[in-house]
Amino acid sequence: MIKKHSKIRIGPRTLKTAFAVTLSIIAVSLYGSSTSNLIFATIGALSAMGATFKESLESCFSQIAGVLFGVVAGVLLLSLHMPALLASGIGIIIVITFYNILHLKISPTLACIVVVTICNLTDTTPVVYAAERIWDTAIGLAIGMIINLFIFPYDNSKQIRNTIQRLDRELILYLEDMFDGDENLPNVNKMINSLDEIEHGLKIFSDQKLLYHRKKQRNDLSSFQDCEKKARQLVVHLEILSELPFPGVLNSYNMERLERNGAKIRDQRIPAEPSELDIVTNFHVSQVLILRRELINALREN
């Protein structure tokens, strides 16, 4: 059987990353191209292409800090006049241990590369090498940051909106499953996962800097946060319903509202004198439908 492969898509972020690297290479080549020039400028450009402005800034800091710390560690090891191979190994141990002690989330890779290079220098002094590498890295970082901010700036608002809409569809399916005529209650975990996805998307969205649409971004963020708050309240009611021993009987009002919301109710039990279980069930179903309407209205206003 031949598997169907999805169509290969080259996204805007891929294109602007390639553009940033190309410009960085051109920039450093203007004052004399070398392998180190190209590598460090490329690393800088790639590092600045984070999904959010905050992520890009953190990456820029980690690259500059890595070069500086690698230079300091390399110079100290050179002053001990030990064999280059031994100094390189000790330098890597020092860098990684230092990063671990400080619980730094940034990668020690660049610092290790700088340490090893300095320990094996034969054609230039550590100070000159350090200045050149900081300059090369800074050029790549600057070009990458500018392109990342002004060309196809990352905007995940559409993904957040789609996730909220998917959560709404999952809600209807959940209610259909709850009142399908048997005593088995559906699992709410799928909707909790969607909530976590919305929360993660909001974290990314809040860290972005949409320079051309700052006011719209603030309004969208406020609206999405309102949607997430209502969705979490909604899921709390569903969790309570899922913990009942079995579903209570829907009253005619809630049954009509569910059907108007698109749910196909197959539970044919006839409402009579409501039991405590029926009252609890109908209260939480009513709250779910109220919150769903508020959620939809908040999304439409965005």
Side-chain angles (χ1 to χ4, degrees):
M1 182 177 178
I2 300 177
K3 294 183 178 180
K4 294 183 179 179
H5 296 280
S6 59
K7 187 176 180 180
I8 296 175
R9 179 178 176 272
I10 300 176
R13 191 175 173 193
T14 301
L15 293 175
K16 68 180 185 180
T17 300
F19 184 47
V21 171
T22 302
L23 285 184
S24 299
I25 291 173
I26 293 173
V28 297
S29 297
L30 295 177
Y31 59 89
S33 177
S34 69
T35 301
S36 293
N37 291 142
L38 301 180
I39 289 175
F40 280 82
T42 298
I43 290 174
L46 291 171
S47 300
M49 303 307 292
T52 68
F53 181 74
K54 182 179 179 181
E55 185 180 326
S56 295
L57 279 181
E58 290 175 348
S59 185
C60 289
F61 167 76
S62 71
Q63 299 309 308
I64 296 297
V67 173
L68 290 174
F69 182 68
V71 168
V72 172
V75 170
L76 290 176
L77 289 168
L78 278 180
S79 66
L80 299 177
H81 304 291
M82 62 178 66
L85 190 61
L86 178 61
S88 299
I90 293 176
I92 290 174
I93 292 173
I94 291 174
V95 169
I96 295 176
T97 302
F98 180 80
Y99 274 56
N100 289 336
I101 289 174
L102 294 182
H103 302 288
L104 299 178
K105 296 181 181 180
I106 58 179
S107 172
T109 302
L110 188 58
C112 289
I113 291 174
V114 173
V115 167
V116 171
T117 305
I118 289 179
C119 290
N120 290 273
L121 281 178
T122 57
D123 56 348
T124 187
T125 63
V127 175
V128 172
Y129 175 83
E132 290 177 345
R133 297 298 75 81
I134 292 173
W135 177 247
D136 297 331
T137 305
I139 287 176
L141 290 171
I143 292 175
M145 281 291 291
I146 291 171
I147 291 176
N148 204 18
L149 281 174
F150 290 97
I151 299 179
F152 303 128
Y154 183 71
D155 182 2
N156 67 331
S157 58
K158 184 176 180 180
Q159 291 94 314
I160 297 173
R161 180 183 296 274
N162 290 339
T163 305
I164 294 173
Q165 291 172 341
R166 188 182 73 227
L167 178 69
D168 181 59
R169 292 192 296 270
E170 290 171 353
L171 166 64
I172 297 301
L173 294 175
Y174 180 94
L175 293 172
E176 285 183 350
D177 192 9
M178 171 163 286
F179 300 104
D180 60 358
D182 59 35
E183 295 185 355
N184 298 320
L185 294 172
N187 195 313
V188 77
N189 288 338
K190 190 174 182 180
M191 300 189 69
I192 293 176
N193 292 336
S194 294
L195 276 176
D196 292 339
E197 189 176 335
I198 294 171
E199 183 179 19
H200 177 69
L202 285 175
K203 177 65 171 60
I204 294 176
F205 189 76
S206 64
D207 287 341
Q208 294 166 183
K209 296 293 181 185
L210 303 179
L211 298 183
Y212 303 120
H213 306 286
R214 291 295 294 151
K215 184 176 181 180
K216 183 178 184 302
Q217 184 189 19
R218 288 193 296 269
N219 293 337
D220 286 349
L221 180 59
S222 176
S223 177
F224 287 145
Q225 288 173 335
D226 187 35
C227 287
E228 190 219 7
K229 180 180 178 181
K230 295 183 186 304
R232 288 205 174 275
Q233 293 173 343
L234 186 153
V235 171
V236 168
H237 289 286
L238 293 180
E239 286 180 313
I240 295 174
L241 286 171
S242 67
E243 293 174 359
L244 297 175
F246 53 87
V249 180
L250 281 173
N251 58 38
S252 57
Y253 178 60
N254 275 336
M255 184 175 293
E256 181 184 348
R257 292 169 71 195
L258 281 172
E259 290 174 343
R260 283 204 311 267
N261 280 270
K264 298 178 181 178
I265 307 301
R266 294 187 294 272
D267 188 352
Q268 299 301 317
R269 289 177 295 174
I270 301 174
E273 187 68 25
S275 65
E276 183 178 345
L277 179 62
D278 297 337
I279 294 173
V280 171
T281 299
N282 281 287
F283 169 77
H284 290 291
V285 168
S286 178
Q287 293 302 304
V288 165
L289 293 176
I290 291 172
L291 287 166
R292 179 183 184 249
R293 184 177 66 250
E294 292 177 353
L295 175 63
I296 293 174
N297 290 338
L299 193 60
R300 285 173 179 169
E301 292 172 0
N302 187 333

